[in-house]
Amino acid sequence: MLFASPVYAHEFWISPVKYEIAVNQSIEAHFRVGQDFNGSKNSFLNRYTTRQEVVQMGKTTQVTGRNGDRPAFQMVGLPNGLAVLVHETTDSTLTYRDFEKFVAFVKHKSFDGQPEAHTARGLPKVGFVESYRRFAKSLVAIGDGVGQDTPIGLDIEIVALTNPYTDDLSSGMQVRILMAGLPRANVQVELFERAFGTIDEAKISLYQTNDDGIATFPVTAGQEYMVDNVALLPLEPEVDGNPVWHSLWANLTFAVPSD
């Protein structure tokens, strides 16, 4: 089932068929779930969708999918400018049967002190439930791709402060991590990089945001990138079996032109 993978190292991302398209050319993008920037294509399913839209030049356009659509994200042509594709899922849940998997997850995402916090809350080490939700964005250049990404009010989101299609990238790419509209300072950002259009093994690097929630990293022409940031929040269950943790996954994809 879409978005119901029990392996927490799995990311969900928007994978455009093309990151650069002509004015009024249709946008097509796949939804992918996988590891290390390699994952299977998933169809659009309305019951797993909370929000789907394109933001361009301050205008938000709702994108209505049909169950079974592949590519999952389809939209008629847009005018010139940077288009930000947006998809927010509904909540899904996962039941942990092995505490070491939870420990490995929080270690991988650099959630210091979370296993200890779990124990301190008196929670069981097996059979506990976590809910999670995905917040994915992707940058697509229409025509010359001029424009700027801006915060759009997702619970957690990655905002590109640099336009990879038009800006000078000699000093790197900058993104800001926001949660509830506020910068996430000193949190881990995971960067995946590979040559666009290939199935090459992705290069994976870890970065840290500064006090303003900004992370800066180098980028290379002809490469495709995925940026990932995750937050983990405690929940107080009203009844046995309710989630005791809630994770929010922010994702951003883009490419750097080869020219």
Side-chain angles (χ1 to χ4, degrees):
M1 292 175 62
L2 187 61
F3 313 136
S5 169
V7 182
Y8 257 90
H10 283 187
E11 282 78 28
F12 166 78
W13 66 97
I14 300 173
S15 176
V17 175
K18 294 181 180 179
Y19 282 96
E20 298 176 272
I21 63 176
V23 172
N24 294 323
Q25 182 179 355
S26 296
I27 296 174
E28 295 184 332
H30 298 289
F31 294 157
R32 293 187 185 271
V33 177
Q35 292 178 291
D36 303 332
F37 212 5
N38 281 300
S40 58
K41 301 174 184 176
N42 288 267
S43 302
F44 175 86
L45 291 174
N46 185 66
R47 67 181 181 273
Y48 291 125
T49 302
T50 295
R51 179 175 175 178
Q52 180 160 281
E53 60 199 32
V54 170
V55 181
Q56 186 187 39
M57 300 296 187
K59 178 183 178 181
T60 300
T61 303
Q62 303 302 315
V63 179
T64 303
R66 297 178 301 175
N67 285 327
D69 274 353
R70 255 192 214 200
F73 198 111
Q74 300 180 28
M75 186 180 183
V76 296
L78 289 173
N80 190 74
L82 181 70
V84 182
L85 282 55
V86 180
H87 185 85
E88 176 184 344
T89 72
T90 56
D91 285 348
S92 294
T93 59
L94 166 72
T95 301
Y96 280 98
R97 305 299 183 188
D98 182 348
F99 190 64
E100 290 308 310
K101 289 186 177 180
F102 178 73
V103 172
F105 164 59
V106 298
K107 181 179 179 181
H108 176 67
K109 297 303 181 183
S110 194
F111 298 142
D112 295 337
Q114 292 290 22
E116 294 80 4
H118 184 95
T119 302
R121 292 171 62 195
L123 298 173
K125 289 192 173 182
V126 295
F128 63 94
V129 178
E130 180 175 341
S131 61
Y132 59 97
R133 182 174 291 222
R134 315 284 196 164
F135 303 86
K137 296 168 63 178
S138 187
L139 307 180
V140 174
I142 313 295
D144 61 20
V146 66
Q148 188 65 52
D149 186 19
T150 58
I152 57 172
L154 298 175
D155 290 350
I156 188 172
E157 68 175 297
I158 301 171
V159 181
L161 302 182
T162 310
N163 184 331
Y165 306 106
T166 61
D167 291 352
D168 180 2
L169 299 173
S170 59
S171 297
M173 177 84 180
Q174 282 195 330
V175 300
R176 173 176 274 127
I177 312 299
L178 299 176
M179 188 164 71
L182 300 176
R184 295 198 74 205
N186 307 309
V187 295
Q188 177 177 288
V189 174
E190 196 165 4
L191 179 71
F192 301 79
E193 173 187 1
R194 71 174 175 206
F196 178 64
T198 72
I199 56 173
D200 293 348
E201 182 177 350
K203 175 185 176 182
I204 304 172
S205 306
L206 299 179
Y207 294 87
Q208 197 87 357
T209 62
N210 63 17
D211 290 342
D212 296 318
I214 296 173
T216 305
F217 46 85
V219 292
T220 303
Q223 299 292 98
E224 178 184 15
Y225 292 88
M226 179 171 73
V227 189
D228 186 74
N229 176 256
V230 183
L232 184 65
L233 305 176
L235 295 177
E236 291 300 327
E238 295 182 359
V239 298
D240 289 344
N242 280 7
V244 298
W245 295 99
H246 180 64
S247 58
L248 302 91
W249 295 65
N251 192 281
L252 175 72
T253 54
F254 62 91
V256 177
S258 56
D259 295 335

